[in-house]
Amino acid sequence: MQLRLVSWLFIILNLMEDVGSQQHPARVRRQGRMNPNVSQPCPGGCATCSEYNGCLTCKPRLFFFLERIGMRQIGVCLTSCPSGYYGTRLPEQTACTKCKPDCEACFNSNFCTKCKTGFYLHLGKCLENCPEWLEPNNYTMECNEIVHCKVSEWSPWSPCTKKGKTCGFKRGNETRIREILQLPSTKGSSCPHTSETRKCVVQRKRCQKGEKGKKNREERRKKPKRDESKETRQENRDRESRRQNRERENKSKMQLRKKRVQDKQQKLHTITISTVH
């Protein structure tokens, strides 16, 4: 109904313009000076037009749009409506209709696709505040669902260890972990801890050959490497032999000193007994 009234309004203006031009030739001259294209046909896309007001109706599949130029509004025919308007197709005429005041772009009168600054888009509506069960996204200016943190199931407990070893001790620690599958949004529940450690007890046992342990590492250092040359192995054996000899000598010296001290104590004891008698 509104579009039909607009079309009739332009037709009436056109008729009034023609009548006025017959009564006042000077006015036609003035309009000619304002619009030098008076004698030219309608612009492209127009089915009917007015010399002063532009298009009145459009050809099929084109949208009628009132374009403001200063204080005037000129009718034009477009293949698609500009931003802030949506196209309506009626049997009488197709036209561009303005979106709601809070809507920057829309699909129709009831469905907005982009809101103006300060509003959040939700299900085709522009809202000043998002509902409680949603959270605002200030980057996209939309109301999004609240996302909570999601984690996987716990892994099995790790082997009982102590200082990186799995043998040679009785009490140690064992650990299990889980992974974060989904990070939370701003209002979502935060992620729980992803690792747990508890005390564990194992049966005391010696480290077997090949197991990790400090004792095994020291023994491996003492063993000659296979790729060492015979001279290197001989030097290592000589060095080890000299070390053992020094240890034996030091041990003998300590025993000798200990024996001398004992002899002195024995003499003092003997002298003391003889003096008393």
Side-chain angles (χ1 to χ4, degrees), residues 91-107:
E92 299 85 359
Q93 186 176 357
T94 58
C96 293
T97 306
K98 191 173 181 61
C99 300
K100 291 182 179 180
D102 54 5
C103 188
E104 186 172 335
C106 60
F107 180 74

Side-chain angles (χ1 to χ4, degrees), residues 58-87:
C58 297
K59 293 180 179 179
R61 307 185 70 83
L62 296 180
F63 294 97
F64 178 79
F65 177 68
L66 286 176
E67 184 178 25
R68 180 175 292 278
I69 302 177
M71 298 298 294
R72 297 174 57 196
Q73 285 186 329
I74 303 297
V76 294
C77 294
L78 307 173
T79 56
S80 61
C81 295
S83 178
Y85 293 80
Y86 65 94

Side-chain angles (χ1 to χ4, degrees), residues 112 115 120-127 130-131 133-134 141-144:
C112 185
C115 298
Y120 295 96
L121 181 65
H122 176 57
L123 298 179
K125 305 293 182 181
C126 293
L127 308 175
C130 293
W133 62 89
L134 300 175
M141 295 305 294
E142 296 179 353
C143 295
N144 296 335

Side-chain angles (χ1 to χ4, degrees), residues 92-271:
E92 299 85 359
Q93 186 176 357
T94 58
C96 293
T97 306
K98 191 173 181 61
C99 300
K100 291 182 179 180
D102 54 5
C103 188
E104 186 172 335
C106 60
F107 180 74
N108 54 40
S109 59
N110 296 319
F111 196 93
C112 185
T113 57
K114 185 178 181 181
C115 298
K116 290 186 177 179
T117 304
F119 294 90
Y120 295 96
L121 181 65
H122 176 57
L123 298 179
K125 305 293 182 181
C126 293
L127 308 175
E128 293 185 4
N129 298 297
C130 293
E132 294 181 358
W133 62 89
L134 300 175
E135 64 179 6
N137 187 327
N138 293 325
Y139 180 74
T140 61
M141 295 305 294
E142 296 179 353
C143 295
N144 296 335
E145 293 184 2
I146 298 175
V147 179
H148 301 288
C149 180
K150 294 181 181 179
V151 294
S152 64
E153 297 293 333
W154 286 109
S155 67
W157 288 100
S158 66
C160 192
T161 60
K162 183 178 181 181
K163 295 182 180 180
K165 298 186 298 181
T166 58
C167 60
F169 62 93
K170 184 177 181 180
R171 298 181 182 274
N173 295 311
E174 56 185 3
T175 305
R176 66 176 182 176
I177 60 174
R178 57 184 173 184
E179 297 180 355
I180 296 176
L181 302 178
Q182 175 66 59
L183 292 173
S185 58
T186 304
K187 288 187 176 181
S189 302
S190 58
C191 294
H193 59 279
T194 56
S195 64
E196 286 184 351
T197 301
R198 68 181 182 182
K199 298 290 184 180
C200 55
V201 179
V202 296
Q203 185 177 0
R204 188 183 297 273
K205 63 177 181 178
R206 293 185 178 181
C207 293
Q208 301 296 326
K209 186 177 181 180
E211 288 187 297
K212 293 182 179 180
K214 184 176 179 181
K215 183 177 180 180
N216 289 340
R217 287 197 297 269
E218 291 177 352
E219 290 178 354
R220 284 196 295 271
R221 290 195 195 101
K222 294 179 180 179
K223 292 181 180 180
K225 296 182 180 179
R226 294 182 179 180
D227 56 351
E228 291 179 344
S229 63
K230 293 181 179 180
E231 295 179 356
T232 304
R233 291 199 296 270
Q234 184 62 39
E235 289 179 358
N236 292 335
R237 286 196 292 268
D238 294 342
R239 191 181 296 110
E240 182 65 20
S241 178
R242 288 194 295 271
R243 186 184 66 80
Q244 293 177 357
N245 291 334
R246 286 196 299 270
E247 289 180 355
R248 286 195 292 269
E249 290 177 359
N250 292 332
K251 188 175 181 179
S252 299
K253 290 179 179 179
M254 290 294 296
Q255 292 177 351
L256 182 59
R257 290 176 183 175
K258 187 176 180 180
K259 186 177 180 180
R260 289 177 179 176
V261 170
Q262 291 177 351
D263 292 343
K264 287 182 179 180
Q265 291 178 351
Q266 184 68 28
K267 289 181 180 180
L268 289 173
H269 181 69
T270 305
I271 294 172

Side-chain angles (χ1 to χ4, degrees), residues 11-26:
I11 293 172
I12 293 170
L13 289 173
N14 190 17
L15 293 174
M16 292 174 63
E17 198 175 304
D18 294 340
V19 173
S21 64
Q22 292 176 3
Q23 296 177 356
H24 302 283

